[in-house]
Amino acid sequence: MRSYQDISNEVRGLIAQTLKIPIEQVMEECPIGDLSEDSIQLFELLITFEREYGVQAHYEDVVNLNTVGDIIVYIGRVVDGVR
Amino acid sequence: MQGIMTFIPMGKVYPSEIARSMYGYVKGVPSDSWLTPSERTYQRKLPYIKRFDFCRGREAAKRAIMAYMETYEHIRISPEYIAIYSESGVPRVRFDAPYTFLSDALCLSISHTEDRAIAGIVPRSCARSVGVDIEHIRLFSKETLRAFLNQSEYDFCRDTGLEYATVYWSLKEAFLKAWGTGLRVHPIHVEIPPMNLYVRQTNFFLSGEEVPVNVSWTKDDNRYIIASITLV
């Protein structure tokens, strides 16, 4: 089981890569909607999560998450049971 | 590529014959002069970059509402009497006194991208809801295309032109806004037969169920797709 910090670093890296922004901008308290330019970028982020973590079945949950921190917690629960 | 909106969005306000709908379109430097005091207070709490989107969206919406009121209701109303608020993510229109009797008479949808915003309104007496979307035309990765297009849509875009992928995205997002869920419903669940792209009154399919829609879309500035869906 990976630590919260490991998952946080990995998820923040994926967000930065997909949204094409520096990882330093991807802070846990940031609303994800403020980091992405539009809905298509957010959708591409969901595809990235599907590919990396197999969260497709939880699409409706993922789009309701607000901050980067919320996403990290959610991915942690889905993948590793980290709380 | 030619869309099926009857207006060419180069000015500020556009009437459409579909269900007495009206569109407001704003580009460039935003102004907060269109905001009510409470909207201005809210706007100041937003991240700096989001304030511009907020102002453009409110201006586009109020232009559309004012034009609708003047054209169809013969009422001249200024923006300080119009408040736009969000209810479960859906924008709503409220009119302040002496126009409170008009509140909830209109359905509203707003979309923005980069330096522009579009708003569509339609009276509840003519339609159930409206959804609009504006997107920068882009080249999607194959993985993304496969994620939101079904096979016939994918084949159509591949054979006809990849710009149509942005048309499909905009129509699906506009449809889901009009449906009331937005992207909480996965866009792959919306199916638009390619032959229906150029039919103004047609059916889309949501999880296999037919949904009657009025469709408008156009290409603007050679770089953007604007789409509007009205549910009747």
Side-chain angles (χ1 to χ4, degrees), chain A residues 31-44 46-48 50-51 56 59-61 63-64, chain B residues 47 49-50 112-114 133 135-136 138 140-141 143-144 147-148 166 169 173 183-187 189:
Chain A
I32 194 68
D34 290 353
L35 295 174
S36 61
E37 286 178 2
D38 54 34
S39 56
I40 296 177
Q41 274 202 339
L42 278 179
F43 184 72
E44 288 173 332
L46 294 177
I47 295 171
T48 301
E50 277 179 32
R51 184 181 61 238
Q56 184 175 17
Y59 178 84
E60 287 80 2
D61 293 342
V63 294
N64 285 323
Chain B
I49 193 76
K50 295 290 176 188
H112 32 67
T113 190
E114 299 176 0
D133 189 46
E135 298 290 351
H136 189 173
R138 68 192 75 196
F140 291 91
S141 68
E143 181 186 31
T144 305
F148 77 90
T166 309
W169 175 275
E173 184 165 3
L183 291 170
R184 291 193 302 277
V185 170
H186 198 299
H189 297 316

Side-chain angles (χ1 to χ4, degrees), chain B residues 74-160:
Chain B
H74 309 294
I75 297 173
R76 282 200 171 185
I77 191 167
S78 53
E80 64 264 28
Y81 292 102
I82 307 169
I84 294 160
Y85 63 102
S86 176
E87 196 174 89
S88 305
V90 178
R92 305 273 188 212
V93 185
R94 189 188 68 233
F95 293 91
D96 289 336
Y99 304 107
T100 48
F101 67 98
L102 296 168
S103 293
D104 280 333
L106 300 173
C107 306
L108 167 67
S109 179
I110 302 171
S111 178
H112 32 67
T113 190
E114 299 176 0
D115 70 336
R116 54 199 66 208
I118 187 159
I121 61 159
V122 64
R124 290 190 193 282
S125 57
C126 294
R128 282 165 51 203
S129 59
V130 62
V132 297
D133 189 46
I134 180 168
E135 298 290 351
H136 189 173
I137 296 170
R138 68 192 75 196
L139 281 178
F140 291 91
S141 68
K142 190 174 178 181
E143 181 186 31
T144 305
L145 291 175
R146 288 288 188 191
F148 77 90
L149 297 175
N150 62 51
Q151 191 61 49
S152 66
E153 295 164 347
Y154 180 88
D155 291 345
F156 178 80
C157 293
R158 185 196 58 207
D159 298 341
T160 314

Side-chain angles (χ1 to χ4, degrees), chain A residues 23-35:
Chain A
I23 194 167
E24 296 76 27
Q25 283 184 24
V26 187
M27 295 178 289
E28 292 196 13
E29 63 272 23
C30 280
I32 194 68
D34 290 353
L35 295 174

